[in-house]
């Protein structure tokens, strides 16, 4: 990333799959909360459905084989997992894009 020289490795999901436990977009939208659902499974399914939409609507037209050397502008979400952790690992963050634009 232009101007970034930090110690944290930054990755962006651009492939054909977002892990099923990836909840960053659901957690970032601000209008969905755990209390809106009767069952934990339903809350989890929301993440899965949002990720499917990201794959189809945001990443569906991205040709990953031609990304090397291109400028990518994006907006996205990521989680920092802290629950039940004594030491938080911040060696890398993985961003789920909600907007992506490919340049030259």
């Amino acid at each position: 990333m232009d101007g970034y020289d930090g110690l944290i490795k930054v990755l962006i999901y651009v492939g054909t799959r977002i892990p099923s436990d990836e909840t960053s977009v659901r957690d970032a939208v601000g209008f969905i909360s755990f209390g809106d659902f009767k069952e934990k499974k339903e809350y989890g399914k929301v993440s899965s459905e949002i990720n499917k939409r990201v794959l189809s609507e945001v990443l569906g037209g991205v040709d990953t084989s031609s990304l090397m050397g291109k400028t990518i502008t994006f907006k996205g979400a990521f989680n920092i997992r802290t629950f039940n952790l004594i030491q938080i690992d911040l060696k890398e963050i993985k961003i789920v894009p909600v907007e992506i634009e490919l340049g030259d």
Side-chain angles (χ1 to χ4, degrees):
M1 293 191 307
D2 285 348
Y4 179 73
D5 61 355
L7 299 176
I8 300 172
K9 184 177 183 179
V10 179
L11 305 169
I12 303 170
Y13 288 109
V14 292
T16 58
R17 184 178 168 279
I18 297 172
S20 61
D21 67 341
E22 179 54 60
T23 61
S24 59
V25 177
R26 179 201 67 196
D27 296 346
V29 296
F31 58 84
I32 299 171
S33 67
F34 183 75
D36 296 337
F37 300 87
K38 291 181 181 179
E39 296 182 22
K40 182 179 177 180
K41 282 185 176 184
E42 293 301 316
Y43 188 57
K45 287 179 183 179
V46 171
S47 294
S48 178
E49 290 304 313
I50 288 173
N51 290 345
K52 286 178 187 176
R53 289 190 71 174
V54 167
L55 288 171
S56 66
E57 296 178 22
V58 178
L59 298 173
V62 175
D63 177 9
T64 57
S65 67
S66 67
L67 292 179
M68 190 63 74
K70 288 196 174 186
T71 300
I72 300 173
T73 304
F74 66 92
K75 292 180 184 176
F78 67 93
N79 283 333
I80 298 175
R81 306 241 186 251
T82 60
F83 185 72
N84 286 339
L85 297 177
I86 294 171
Q87 187 172 10
I88 299 168
D89 181 6
L90 287 177
K91 292 179 187 149
E92 69 180 33
I93 60 171
K94 297 176 182 174
I95 299 172
V96 178
V98 294
E99 291 181 21
I100 193 164
E101 182 180 320
L102 305 177
D104 296 328

